[in-house]
Amino acid sequence: RSTIMPLLEDTVKEADCVEELKSEKISDQTKIIDLQNQLIEAKDQQVVKLQEAVKGEVKTVQTEMKTFASVLQKEMKSQTTEVKSAASVISAKNVGDAVKQVVEKEERG
């Protein structure tokens, strides 16, 4: 009997120690899960912020492209008008003057 009691006491102590380790493990795993959830939430917030920033930049680029296209279109219309105006001046006045000069030279010569 005397040798059995210390062995039983040691076994009970070891069983208590094992139970304590199991509880600590469960507690640690719960903490890990909580931290992982916090990390996921932080990453989700970062993704949302990034999406908002990208949307803002896309809108800015779209606005700038529309403005550029509008300016380019106005410039093209202006140049087209200038070309037409120059063509009408060349064809009406200069061609007429050139023809007169040729006719006059031929009559002299």
Side-chain angles (χ1 to χ4, degrees), residues 18-28:
V18 168
E19 286 301 315
E20 185 178 331
L21 289 173
K22 285 181 182 179
S23 293
E24 287 177 11
K25 181 178 180 182
I26 291 170
S27 176
D28 290 344

Side-chain angles (χ1 to χ4, degrees), residues 16-85:
D16 288 342
C17 185
V18 168
E19 286 301 315
E20 185 178 331
L21 289 173
K22 285 181 182 179
S23 293
E24 287 177 11
K25 181 178 180 182
I26 291 170
S27 176
D28 290 344
Q29 287 175 335
T30 302
K31 288 177 186 176
I32 290 171
I33 291 169
D34 289 342
L35 290 172
Q36 287 173 336
N37 287 333
Q38 290 175 14
L39 180 62
I40 289 169
E41 186 176 324
K43 292 292 182 181
D44 287 346
Q45 290 174 359
Q46 288 177 346
V47 167
V48 168
K49 287 180 183 179
L50 181 61
Q51 287 173 336
E52 290 171 357
V54 169
K55 285 179 184 178
E57 288 300 316
V58 167
K59 286 181 182 179
T60 300
V61 169
Q62 287 174 337
T63 301
E64 289 176 2
M65 290 296 290
K66 287 178 184 177
T67 301
F68 177 74
S70 175
V71 168
L72 186 60
Q73 191 175 28
K74 288 178 184 177
E75 185 63 29
M76 297 276 293
K77 285 180 182 179
S78 173
Q79 287 181 2
T80 301
T81 303
E82 290 173 8
V83 168
K84 286 180 182 178
S85 176

